[in-house]
Amino acid sequence: MSFLFRFFRFLRSMCAPIIAVICFSCLLTFIFILYQPTPGPGIKQRLGWQSWDSITMSNEDLAAVSSTNNESTSNQEAEDNKVELPEGVDWWNVTGIPGLGEDKVDTTSLPLDVWAPLLPHDTGLSEISVTHCYMDPIYAGDLCAPSTTTEKDAIRGPWVRVDRNLNDESGYMSGFLSIWYRRTRRLDINLIDSIRLLPSQEEPSPLDGWTKVDKSLRTGVYHANPLFLWYHVGKTASEMTSEDNSQIITEIDVLFGEDVPWWGFEKLEPATMHRKEGITEGTSITVRKGVHTVPKAPPLHFSRDGKFKIMQIADLHYSVSVGRCLDMRADSKLDKLCTSPDGPGSDNLTNTLLARMLDVEKPDLVVFTGDQLNGQGSSWDPKSVLAKFAKEVWGRGIPWAAVFGNHDSEEGMDREDQMKLMESLPYSLAQRGPQDLHGVGNYMLKVRSADPSMTHLLTLYFLDSGSYSKGFFNFWGMFTPTAYDWLRQDQIDWFLRESASIGMIQRPFTPDGAKDLGPINWARQTDQLTPQTHRLAKPNALMFFHIPLPEAYSTPDKNPSTQRPLDVGLSGLEPNGNAEGTDGFFEKVLLNATESNHVNAQAGSETRPKQEVKVVANGHCHITENCRRVKGVWMCFGGGGSYSGYGKVGFDRRFRVYEISEYGEKIRTWKRTEGVEAEPEGHVVDDMVLVGSGATP
């Protein structure tokens, strides 16, 4: 009996803690798993509140609204319909040519309850709030949202969270600090037209119309001086002119690092978190006023004298920070700038160098051949990095394209989302490409003639060579790659389909001089071409991807006259950078895809068809910058152009340039190096003709 008594007493003593654990587990299960707000009939009905909610307005107000809407619509249509033709082009029928004109967006169809900063919202904000939560708002849901009511949501708009943590750089223990706003289309609600960030002891003057957000923008950061957001509420939508509409706040974002904000946004000062060298990066709030139409790239075209220039920019390796210089000459001016705590950083120094090269070369197209992002733990917020990597290019109105490298998607954001960001930048020609292919960014661009025929004279292929094919996770859960990826069979099939769709043209090309197009003398221009027999063939093609093929390191062809190998430039300073695996891209694509479908010559004959792709341009290997011809195809490396990527002391940063002339028949290349202070234009090295008159047969 005493045994049973002790046993039941033991069960009774254990009952309370067991019940407590079970109840606490059930509570956590309900909060994080079971509690999911369901959009019931009431919520679905509220989605249409902007359409059916009645607003009492006077006749004078209605007249003012009508006048404002007509003025705004008229100005917007005039802006959207304005088509600016590329300089030096005689096209007058531009209907259907990609890149001309602007895609009209029905802004009334854009969602109001989703944070999407790339959308061209012209709808203003009515209220702003800041919340601090120790749970991720994605999982916490309404527990971390500002308080609201159904009536307020219907009048001022639902709360929308800016999906960026202001405390991201201050550590997990500081919690999640989020900005929220309401967006409304109602005409009787006053909209926000200004935002200021002030310390706790300051306030705007005069105070009329200003509202202070209760929570500090530095909440959760240890020993940080409070900083508060103030917003000014101005006119209602019914009272605004088109000028007023351009000044209302239409979007809020967060920038990490101390570089430029996203295009169309402006940075608010001061920073919510200041940069501490080697510890944290700066954090700033950015806002967009009005709507800014992103400039579109014009169609790629040759000049009237038959020239087109491409600059290749390889391996920038930019970071959220200002960057860290690698492999610089000791005691040089650049080295001192790099090592200075207040220095501009390697990313900014690279942009300065890039600006010089662009001003000297004045390319028609810039191609980024991968590793725009450094990865390796330093580009953890890809959007902040992508905001700055091409600014020197689009700031000059130069069209640009890009492919991905192995480091670009190592952290923070996958290639799919990065490509959406790149597509939304000014003058971008980058494309996502087919979704059923390996990788992101498999696409083709055509370069046309400047005469009215708009003849396709040059093809540019862009491929995603992937990142890594093998690797393992270490003790800390970090992925460690062991092998590079390669171009896959579905990409080969895609290329063959695209190549087969290209029609043959009469080559060499003769511009259409049948119409009076001004003082240009087309007949005189064609006299500059090397006399050749006209033939039907596809245009010449160049191909761009990041990781080189194994054949880039194969034995080069020999010059039949001198028996010297056709290999110009520096190589062998680093291990081979190709992938071990292959699906036969070199044989199936580069050798088998010819420029003509009509072939009577036998295999091995001197008149055998030429390959369509004449040049392959790669990045990846920073101190390899040679051009090597293998079985008739030139395999060229861009060489490292960035102070943020690895290099070699004594190896100048450089950029490869391709000049295509004679309306696509001749391809010439050279590299422009950084030079010294007394030579801002740098040096031109290894100037050579790859294809056409003057090239090795």
Side-chain angles (χ1 to χ4, degrees), residues 396-466:
R396 289 165 170 75
I398 303 173
W400 58 276
V403 294
F404 288 115
N406 53 293
H407 287 294
D408 284 314
S409 54
E410 284 185 347
E411 56 186 334
M413 187 180 293
D414 60 22
R415 296 179 184 231
E416 191 88 32
D417 291 332
Q418 285 190 43
M419 181 57 74
K420 291 177 182 177
L421 291 174
M422 288 197 289
E423 288 176 338
S424 67
L425 285 170
Y427 301 103
S428 171
L429 292 171
Q431 301 173 21
R432 192 260 176 258
Q435 296 188 4
D436 57 346
L437 297 185
H438 184 78
V440 176
N442 302 290
Y443 57 101
M444 175 182 68
L445 297 176
K446 299 178 181 180
V447 187
R448 301 178 181 273
S449 64
D451 69 327
S453 70
M454 298 182 293
T455 304
H456 172 195
L457 298 180
L458 179 70
T459 309
L460 305 175
Y461 293 102
F462 303 86
L463 292 158
D464 183 3
S465 56

Side-chain angles (χ1 to χ4, degrees), residues 133 139 221 258 260 279 306 315 415 474 499 564 663:
C133 191
Y139 305 108
V221 181
E258 297 189 339
V260 296
I279 301 176
D315 299 271
R415 296 179 184 231
N474 61 20
S499 175
R564 292 183 177 178
Y663 302 100

Side-chain angles (χ1 to χ4, degrees), residues 6 126 145 154 226 241 272 294 326 374 380 416 424 443 447 475 485 538 543 562 640 657 663:
R6 287 195 301 270
S126 62
T241 64
T272 62
V294 180
L326 298 177
N374 185 53
W380 44 270
E416 191 88 32
S424 67
Y443 57 101
V447 187
F475 176 79
D485 207 348
K538 296 177 185 177
M543 183 176 287
T562 64
V657 178
Y663 302 100

Side-chain angles (χ1 to χ4, degrees), residues 160-171:
V160 176
R161 186 176 68 89
V162 176
D163 191 14
R164 314 274 273 175
N165 180 15
L166 288 170
N167 284 350
D168 209 343
E169 274 289 83
S170 56

